[in-house]
Amino acid sequence: MPIPSPCSLSHPIASFPISTFHSHRPHRFSKRNSTWIRGKGRIYVKSSNSEAKSDETKQKSTSSSENNDTSSGNTSSFLSFLCPLLKVFSGGDPSQQRNHALEVATSSLASVARLPWGSRVSSGSIDSQDVSPNPPLRLQLFEFEACPFCRRVREALTELDLSVEVYPCPKGSVRHREMVRRSGGKEMFPFLIDPNTDTLMYESGDIVKYLFNQYGNGRGPSTGLLESTLFTGWMPTLLRAGRGMSLWDKASTDPPPKMLELFSYENNPYSRLVREALCELELPYVLHNIGEGSTRTRSLLNASGSNKVPFLVDPNTGVHLGDYEKILAYLFKTYSSAASA
């Protein structure tokens, strides 16, 4: 008998709550160096110094970079330059047989580069190990695995022991990048939607501070979490040769009816390999962060019989998998364009 899914997913993909797009109450978050931007019923935060930032704030869509605006060259991102360069070293088709020893080695080195961030729950984030810190409505994060600024937000989510709906936005995205443009007004990542406070936000630093202010129980980001991105945040992207950056050309164009679920924590080397695949397939999923000290350990034990991650639940097929190699093989086989034909 298959193990029941650890949580029920009753809402379809991309069915954002109406409150996400219309603000009816004051925002609880304010920032001295930020400006609230309103437009067509939407609200998001833009840092006053955002135009002075380089890589993160300059990310934009391919279509925008191809227009006739003479300033487009100044706003193209460093990741856009790295993308084709790193693909040369990424090993080609991600669905083909891999050198798993090399994969684990490079992912493990990436984890070492980001220690200690994204491995454990921040002490003081919750009052009791029996009480979940999650808000009534799940946060929604639009990002892509190889982005160092998106990684900063995922590390914060692990420290706060928060579950989140992840909508991967790889280069060549056929769904989620357009959703970001429509809801936020521009294509930049990471992009957070918090339906609990009617908040839409760009800028990873602002997002991290907001998350700790809103859900940190009085705690701030761990020492170095924000500052370290500029020094070691790029290491996982380089060591993994840009995996989790571009859409696989054989990925199915039709999203599954229900979101997949992944038990993971940000700095686990095996979980990273699975998140890369989910991004390359543009598969939305519920990310259950389960770092050291997580309140979710018991749920994982009940679902898998083990406390090891990654652990994948696919409610569309009833599949439950806990071995990263089997998960990768399953994802590329099940969600390829050939399988959906």
Side-chain angles (χ1 to χ4, degrees):
M1 179 180 296
I3 302 172
S5 174
C7 67
S8 174
L9 297 172
S10 58
H11 53 282
I13 293 171
S15 60
F16 302 117
I18 296 299
S19 61
T20 299
F21 300 97
H22 301 279
S23 178
H24 300 293
R25 58 182 180 273
H27 289 266
R28 304 175 192 172
F29 173 73
S30 62
K31 191 172 185 293
R32 180 177 300 176
N33 295 324
S34 298
T35 304
W36 289 110
I37 307 297
R38 291 180 179 269
K40 298 182 180 180
R42 296 188 291 268
I43 298 178
Y44 61 91
V45 173
K46 178 180 179 182
S47 295
S48 60
N49 64 343
S50 62
E51 293 181 359
K53 296 182 181 180
S54 56
D55 304 326
E56 179 184 13
T57 59
K58 293 178 182 178
Q59 292 180 41
K60 59 183 296 185
S61 65
T62 302
S63 60
S64 296
S65 66
E66 293 175 348
N67 63 28
N68 294 324
D69 188 350
T70 57
S71 65
S72 63
N74 295 327
T75 55
S76 60
S77 71
F78 183 51
L79 282 178
S80 296
F81 168 76
L82 272 183
C83 183
L85 183 63
L86 290 176
K87 285 186 72 174
V88 175
F89 303 98
S90 64
D93 191 336
S95 67
Q96 298 302 308
Q97 183 65 35
R98 305 185 184 190
N99 183 331
H100 288 288
L102 180 61
E103 293 280 291
V104 172
T106 55
S107 188
S108 296
L109 287 173
S111 294
V112 170
R114 291 303 297 155
L115 285 175
W117 302 287
S119 298
R120 60 180 62 89
V121 176
S122 174
S123 60
S125 293
I126 50 178
D127 294 322
S128 170
Q129 291 298 304
D130 296 323
V131 178
S132 171
N134 285 285
L137 300 174
R138 284 199 196 99
L139 306 176
Q140 299 158 351
L141 179 64
F142 292 78
E143 52 90 68
F144 59 99
E145 178 65 26
C147 171
F149 303 102
C150 301
R151 184 173 300 114
R152 172 194 276 173
V153 174
R154 295 195 306 266
E155 289 170 346
L157 290 167
T158 294
E159 290 193 1
L160 289 168
D161 201 28
L162 291 171
S163 290
V164 61
E165 293 179 6
V166 175
Y167 296 86
C169 300
K171 296 286 184 180
S173 164
V174 296
R175 292 185 295 274
H176 299 152
R177 289 195 172 218
E178 176 61 25
M179 291 161 65
V180 172
R181 282 195 295 270
R182 290 183 179 182
S183 57
K186 54 185 174 180
E187 188 176 309
M188 190 172 76
F189 306 99
F191 178 64
L192 178 77
I193 296 177
D194 186 348
N196 300 281
T197 60
D198 302 330
T199 300
L200 287 76
M201 297 183 71
Y202 292 104
E203 302 286 355
S204 64
D206 290 340
I207 292 174
V208 169
K209 292 174 184 177
Y210 167 80
L211 290 173
F212 274 92
N213 181 76
Q214 195 70 34
Y215 303 110
N217 194 33
R219 297 279 294 178
S222 61
T223 303
L225 174 62
L226 292 171
E227 299 81 3
S228 64
T229 298
L230 296 177
F231 299 99
T232 64
W234 292 94
M235 292 305 296
T237 304
L238 298 173
L239 286 166
R240 292 297 301 143
R243 288 287 194 189
M245 182 181 290
S246 301
L247 181 70
W248 182 40
D249 58 3
K250 298 178 183 177
S252 173
T253 57
D254 299 318
K258 298 179 181 179
M259 298 183 79
L260 282 66
E261 301 177 47
L262 178 66
F263 286 84
S264 163
Y265 63 86
E266 174 58 29
N267 214 20
N268 181 273
Y270 303 101
S271 297
R272 179 180 292 107
L273 302 177
V274 174
R275 293 195 309 268
E276 289 171 352
L278 289 167
C279 184
E280 291 167 343
L281 289 163
E282 201 178 359
L283 289 173
Y285 62 99
V286 178
L287 175 61
H288 299 295
N289 280 301
I290 188 162
E292 181 182 344
S294 172
T295 59
R296 229 163 269 109
T297 302
R298 188 175 302 171
S299 296
L300 177 59
L301 284 170
N302 292 338
S304 68
S306 169
N307 61 356
K308 294 182 179 180
V309 294
F311 183 71
L312 181 79
V313 176
D314 188 345
N316 301 285
T317 61
V319 165
H320 298 67
L321 291 171
D323 178 270
Y324 87 93
E325 292 185 38
K326 293 180 180 178
I327 293 174
L328 293 179
Y330 167 78
L331 289 174
F332 284 109
K333 179 180 179 180
T334 305
Y335 293 104
S336 68
S337 55
S340 61

